[in-house]
Amino acid sequence: MRKSLTVLAALACLAGPAAAAVSETYDLLFREGTLDEIGADEVLRYGRAVSNAANPEAAARDTGTVEISFDAAMANLRFEQGGRHRGLGTFPASGGNPMIMYFYESVVRDMAVTAGGSPFYIRNRVKEALTRPAEVVSGEAEVNGETVPVQTVTLRPFESDPNRARMRGFGDLELRVTMSDRVPGWYLSLVAEAPGEAGYLSELRLEGVQ
């Protein structure tokens, strides 16, 4: 996926170590070519589990499985729950794994519906978080019975937001993405959590390749 003009403009205003740190974070999160090793007849499956104290009905509706299948050079996202499914979009497979975009957009939607804020404002704050140096932690995780090295990027998009007190607990929202080149499709898990008042948790976790 290409960097947006907003992100590129922000990076151009930085210099030295700060710019390098931001670029590294963005490149980790939106790494290209992460679907190159997935076969055209294979399907990536991610389980999605959502809990939302303020909107339990929506959480139950959005808990299910997200699949990525391939048609020619395109990656197709589909949500499945209880034998029913709906399309989530089609993206060029060469650009990278679109699960990251689905993750961010679903969190923006959930927060806007639950906290009552503008999705445009929320989305812009998340974009701005991508232009700031983020916490990146190296570690290990078990994948298919094997221990592999991983990196986890953590973003807190509303940490310094002047409106955070009006966000019904979402001011403490934390976004954590764990990834590795030893994981099919790059992403092992994508987690959004707003503890306390919001009682919100959304997790996408790789279940495997079929």
Side-chain angles (χ1 to χ4, degrees):
M1 297 181 183
R2 295 181 179 177
K3 293 178 174 66
S4 68
L5 291 178
T6 301
V7 171
L8 285 174
L11 288 175
C13 294
L14 298 173
V22 171
S23 179
E24 178 185 1
T25 299
Y26 192 95
D27 290 343
L28 279 173
L29 290 171
F30 295 92
R31 185 170 178 175
E32 297 184 355
T34 53
L35 298 177
D36 291 353
E37 301 302 318
I38 308 298
D41 58 346
E42 294 182 318
V43 176
L44 280 170
R45 291 176 58 90
Y46 295 81
R48 187 183 185 207
V50 185
S51 58
N52 189 334
N55 198 340
E57 294 83 6
R61 178 199 64 204
D62 294 332
T63 294
T65 302
V66 182
E67 298 182 340
I68 302 179
S69 60
F70 301 91
D71 180 14
M74 306 302 290
N76 307 303
L77 267 68
R78 185 176 81 164
F79 178 81
E80 187 174 294
Q81 182 191 66
R84 297 183 177 183
H85 63 268
R86 67 176 185 269
L88 299 172
T90 299
F91 306 83
S94 60
N97 190 336
M99 192 59 64
I100 188 76
M101 297 305 301
Y102 168 72
F103 169 67
Y104 283 134
E105 284 299 316
S106 65
V107 173
V108 168
R109 180 202 62 199
D110 290 351
M111 180 175 168
V113 170
T114 304
S118 162
F120 301 103
Y121 183 89
I122 296 168
R123 186 177 295 110
N124 285 336
R125 298 295 80 75
V126 172
K127 286 182 179 179
E128 286 177 6
L130 295 172
T131 68
R132 299 192 295 266
E135 176 185 323
V136 182
V137 177
S138 298
E140 294 182 334
E142 186 171 316
V143 180
N144 297 324
E146 180 184 1
T147 300
V148 302
V150 298
Q151 295 184 84
T152 300
V153 173
T154 300
L155 301 177
R156 300 177 181 88
F158 306 105
E159 189 172 34
S160 303
D161 195 292
N163 298 303
R164 58 179 281 114
R166 299 160 52 189
M167 294 178 178
R168 300 183 182 180
F170 278 89
D172 296 323
L173 181 70
E174 187 173 277
L175 306 173
R176 302 187 298 271
V177 181
T178 299
M179 63 214 90
S180 171
D181 56 10
R182 301 279 294 278
V183 173
W186 183 240
Y187 305 116
L188 177 61
S189 65
L190 306 98
V191 179
E193 183 174 15
E197 178 187 354
Y200 176 77
L201 178 66
S202 175
E203 179 175 11
L204 280 160
R205 189 172 185 87
L206 179 68
E207 293 184 342
V209 182
Q210 294 186 335

